Amino acid sequence: MTTKRTQIWQIPRGSYDTDGDLARNPKIRKAAAIIKQGGLVAFPTETVYGLGADGLAEKAVASIFAAKGRPSDNPLILHIAELSVLDQLVGSVPQSAKHLMELFWPGPLTLVLPKLPAVPMITTGGLPSVAVRMPNHPIASALIKAAGTPLAAPSANTSGRPSPTRAEHVVSDLMGKIDVILDGGPTGLGVESTVLDCTGPTPKILRPGGVDKEALEDALGTCVQLSAELGKEIGSFPSHKYGHYAPNAPTAVVLGEPQGLFENLAAKAQELTCKGEQVGLMISRETMQYWQDQAVDFSHWQVVVMGSRTNLAEVGTAVYEGLRTLDAHHVTQILLESVPTQGLGFAIMNRLLKAADFWTVGE
Ligand code: TXA
Ligand code: MG
């Protein structure tokens, strides 16, 4: 692959008030022109940064897979900014999916629907269905509208690395491999969209994310399934097809309930230290408080505090960055604190377990 001169263009939050301001923004217009010519542009969404290309142009989509080092059978999400575009992309849309669009779009919900021929097979990894979402971020919407085409956009990380929640993360993974990085500051949610398969009789969650199962069930008034893989996640061995979100050091998720969990984290870290490991931990504020109260000596561990166990939205924004921080400190063993699996916690635990390749300790 030839090296590209990646340009980084800042579009700070305070630099625009209205969608019109962004539509006129020369950086958005130039980035859109690059997309129309088949180029690659990373842009912020409300979940994580995406790596966008013209989703209907085979060559452009092929270059996304190359830049990320992504297996070609792992399908991409098409990002749209207006509902009217859907007619060209998907066939029959069930009433339930229409209802979810009304309620959750723009937002972190991706719907998998039967694809129409205009969507190239390379975009869907050879599948007869296509994943579509309408991101809730002014820069993303302005870019999609200016490009005048749906953007195929996976998370803008190297395949297998933690997803990027800041432009800096995209820089560290994809510099020299893509044309432009639109830096719109940190993303809001921090975990990716929920992927919901709407091609069968009952909607099925393929990936938990920003919209939780309970919210989908409330909206539809029926139950929503979990994919077979998600149903048996905790305590299982790697069953997933693609490596994901993984830090470089071996990683384990420590299970349990407070305070046993807080104690277990310290005990496990101590045990590893005695074996000569450089230990990195990602823990809650509650664990940190407990350690301070109990005078636990954590001075020789690399500790990232991911937020409070009672505020999972805060934890969501911190998880991927925390994994990257621990990596940057070259620890040899990482321990991650488990979180309650209600609401957004289910998606967060899913990411923690994948980072650990489903290796758990405790309980
Ligand atoms: O929040 C997000 O969804 C972010 C932002 C950038 O929009 N995007 C993202 O894309 O996370 P990516 O490529 O990293 O993850 C897309 C997920 C993958 O797990 C993929 O297998 C699944 O969606 N997917 C895409 N198309 C599918 C299809 N037709 N059928 C089943 N799964 C599909
Ligand atoms: Mg991804």
Side-chain angles (χ1 to χ4, degrees), residues 48 68 70 74 154-157 159-161 163-164 192 207 244-245 320:
V48 300
K68 274 184 65 94
R70 180 175 173 115
N74 190 0
S155 47
N157 51 305
S159 207
R161 295 267 298 141
S163 293
E192 299 91 335
R207 178 181 71 180
H244 250 304
Y245 320 116
Y320 286 132

Side-chain angles (χ1 to χ4, degrees), residues 338-363:
S338 55
V339 296
T341 53
Q342 282 86 41
L344 187 61
F346 188 66
I348 295 170
M349 262 305 268
N350 167 263
R351 305 311 192 269
L352 296 175
L353 287 166
K354 285 191 170 186
D357 211 10
F358 296 84
W359 183 23
T360 58
V361 295
E363 299 240 296

Side-chain angles (χ1 to χ4, degrees), residues 43 45 47-51 68 70 74-77 79 110 112 124 127 129-131 133 153-157 163 191-193 195 206-207 242 244:
F43 61 95
T45 78
T47 58
V48 300
Y49 273 76
L51 176 58
K68 274 184 65 94
R70 180 175 173 115
N74 190 0
L76 305 178
I77 298 171
H79 293 65
T110 294
V112 175
T124 66
L127 293 174
S129 59
V130 62
R133 99 171 182 99
S155 47
N157 51 305
S163 293
V191 287
E192 299 91 335
S193 62
V195 179
L206 303 179
R207 178 181 71 180
Y242 311 105
H244 250 304

Side-chain angles (χ1 to χ4, degrees), residues 4-5 9 17 26 33 43 53 102 104 123 148 176-177 180 214 220 235 238 260 278 302 316 327 335 339 342 356:
K4 294 191 178 214
R5 282 189 43 209
W9 296 337
D17 283 330
F43 61 95
E102 274 165 29
F104 294 107
T123 303
K177 296 182 175 174
V180 175
E214 295 84 346
L220 294 174
Q278 300 293 315
Q302 197 64 52
D327 255 356
L335 298 174
V339 296
Q342 282 86 41

Side-chain angles (χ1 to χ4, degrees), residues 3-60:
T3 305
K4 294 191 178 214
R5 282 189 43 209
T6 307
Q7 308 200 52
I8 304 165
W9 296 337
Q10 268 145 17
I11 309 182
R13 281 268 174 191
S15 69
Y16 50 89
D17 283 330
T18 63
D19 292 350
D21 292 344
L22 278 173
R24 284 186 295 274
N25 185 310
K27 293 168 186 163
I28 296 275
R29 295 168 78 119
K30 269 194 251 170
I34 288 170
I35 283 176
K36 278 189 236 174
Q37 289 156 20
L40 294 178
V41 174
F43 61 95
T45 78
E46 80 280 33
T47 58
V48 300
Y49 273 76
L51 176 58
D54 181 346
L56 305 183
E58 286 186 17
K59 247 180 105 179

